[in-house]
Amino acid sequence: MNRRGVIVQAEGDNLEMGSAELLGLDDVHDDIKQEYINTLKDLRQQHPHADLSALERMAHESLLNRGPKSRAFYRIQATRKLMGSGDLLRRISERAQSDLSEIKAEIQRESGAAEFNPSNTRIFFEPSKYTVLESCGRFEVRIARTGDLDNAISVDYFTEDGTAQAGSDYVPTKGTLHFGPGEKEKRVALEVIDDDVFEPDEHFFVKLRGAKPAGVLGSPTLATVIILDDDHGGLFKFEEQNHELVESVGIYELRVIRCSGARGRVIVPYRTEDGTAKAGKEYEANEGQLIFENNESE
C-alpha cells in the first residue's frame, strides 16, 4: 500500500480495485454458504420442534462466531475494508439470507416433513441415553411409538462404534423391529463385554433408520450408551459438599459414595479440620478409615 492508502500489491496477487472475483468473494461465499446450510441442518436435528426462524438466527450466530478463519479469509476481509467495500462477513450473511428459501427447501426434502405423515405417528428412542457398568452383561434400550397405533410399522436398528469398539467392548447387533397395531414400544437387547483391563469410560451408539412407511421417524433417532469401567477401585466423594446443622444435633453422619468402579477392597482415610469452628469447642475432632469391600458403593 502506498502513502495515499492505495493497494499496490498483496502477497504476490495483483488486486484490481472493486473486483470481487479477484478478491475471492464468490469462492469464500460458496464455502460459507455450504457451512451455513450444514449448520442449519444440524440445528434442525438437535431441535426438531423449534421454529425455523429461531434456527436461522442460531445458525447465523454460529457462522459469524465460528473460527478460526483461514489466512486467505482474513486477507480478503482486510483488503475489502481498506478499499471501502464493506465487511465481508456481513455481505456473506446477507447473501446467505437471500438464499434461505433454497436452504429451507433442501432441509425439508432431506428431513421428511410432517405433511407426509398425516397420522402423526412417531418412532423414537425413549430415553436416548443409557449408562451401564461394564459388568452388567445384557440390558435393553426402549423404542417408543406415539400417534396413530392402528397400522403396522417397521424400523431398522443397528449399533455403531463411538470410543467403544464392537467385538471388544460390546456385541454389535442390527435388525428390524415390527410394530403391530396397538403396540406402543419395542425393546432391543444389547450386551456389554466385561474384561479385567482398566480403561476409561467409553460409549457407543444405537441408531434407527429405514422406517416403513417413510416419515415416521421422530427425534431422537440415536441413543448413546455409556459404559462405566468397573475394573478399578473407583472414585470416592461426599454425597453433598455442604451440610447445615443445628448446634444441638449431636452426632451427625456424612455419607461417602463410591462411583466409576467398585473393584476390590479399598481403604479411605479421613480426618476433620478446623474452619471458623474449632475442635474441642464447637465440634469433636475425628479421624479414621473407611473400608469399602469389593463391589461396595457407600
Side-chain angles (χ1 to χ4, degrees):
M1 187 169 62
N2 65 19
R3 293 182 180 179
R4 291 180 298 170
V6 178
I7 296 174
V8 178
Q9 189 176 15
E11 297 186 359
D13 294 332
N14 292 322
L15 300 178
E16 185 176 314
M17 298 293 287
S19 174
E21 289 76 15
L22 288 179
L23 287 174
L25 176 59
D26 289 338
D27 292 338
V28 174
H29 169 256
D30 289 340
D31 291 342
I32 298 185
K33 175 186 170 185
Q34 187 57 48
E35 190 175 356
Y36 181 86
I37 294 173
N38 294 338
T39 301
L40 200 54
K41 291 178 183 176
D42 291 341
L43 289 170
R44 180 66 174 266
Q45 290 291 328
Q46 296 171 21
H47 310 282
H49 304 299
D51 182 75
L52 190 54
S53 61
L55 297 180
E56 293 167 15
R57 291 193 297 270
M58 293 165 64
H60 185 175
E61 182 178 357
S62 174
L63 182 66
L64 295 182
N65 293 335
R66 187 168 300 173
K69 307 292 188 301
S70 68
R71 187 163 166 262
F73 181 93
Y74 287 117
R75 187 179 79 245
I76 295 166
Q77 175 79 326
T79 303
R80 288 187 59 79
K81 287 184 177 180
L82 286 171
M83 293 167 56
S85 300
D87 187 276
L88 180 58
L89 277 175
R90 187 175 66 249
R91 288 283 304 280
I92 291 171
S93 172
E94 292 170 354
R95 292 177 62 175
Q97 290 295 320
S98 69
D99 295 331
L100 198 55
S101 58
E102 173 190 338
I103 297 170
K104 288 179 181 178
E106 186 172 350
I107 290 175
Q108 290 173 348
R109 287 195 301 270
E110 295 194 3
S111 63
E115 56 265 23
F116 297 103
N117 182 18
S119 65
N120 200 30
T121 301
R122 285 287 182 265
I123 296 178
F124 53 92
F125 283 107
E126 188 181 49
S128 62
K129 185 176 182 179
Y130 296 81
T131 302
V132 298
L133 287 174
E134 186 181 63
S135 58
C136 78
R138 293 173 65 86
F139 67 99
E140 294 180 335
V141 297
R142 178 175 178 265
I143 295 89
R145 175 189 183 187
T146 61
D148 186 0
L149 305 180
D150 293 336
N151 300 317
I153 292 176
S154 66
V155 63
D156 297 333
Y157 66 90
F158 63 99
T159 54
E160 184 176 281
D161 286 356
T163 54
Q165 303 295 309
S168 59
D169 299 309
Y170 71 95
V171 177
T173 186
K174 62 180 179 179
T176 303
L177 298 174
H178 298 278
F179 287 79
E183 286 190 294
K184 294 183 178 181
E185 69 172 61
K186 290 286 186 179
R187 295 178 182 264
V188 173
L190 303 174
E191 184 174 354
V192 174
I193 299 174
D194 193 10
D195 57 39
D196 295 326
V197 179
F198 169 71
E199 51 194 352
D201 297 340
E202 299 174 308
H203 68 276
F204 67 96
F205 306 104
V206 193
K207 295 184 177 181
L208 300 177
R209 68 178 177 190
K212 296 179 182 179
V216 299
L217 280 181
S219 181
T221 59
L222 178 146
T224 303
V225 180
I226 300 173
I227 305 173
L228 299 181
D229 183 66
D230 58 1
D231 293 317
H232 59 97
L235 302 175
F236 299 85
K237 63 180 182 179
F238 290 110
E239 183 180 33
E240 297 180 14
Q241 181 178 3
N242 299 314
H243 298 257
E244 293 185 3
L245 313 176
V246 295
E247 192 176 47
S248 59
V249 68
I251 296 175
Y252 183 79
E253 293 184 347
L254 300 180
R255 183 167 177 254
V256 179
I257 59 176
R258 182 188 197 179
C259 56
S260 296
R263 183 63 60 88
R265 188 173 188 262
V266 178
I267 299 175
V268 182
Y270 68 88
R271 66 183 175 89
T272 56
E273 185 175 288
D274 286 355
T276 55
K278 305 302 179 183
K281 293 182 63 178
E282 285 84 18
Y283 75 97
E284 292 185 8
N286 195 0
E287 64 179 303
Q289 295 178 335
L290 298 176
I291 300 176
F292 287 79
E293 301 295 343
N294 184 46
N295 290 327
E296 191 174 14
S297 60
E298 68 176 77

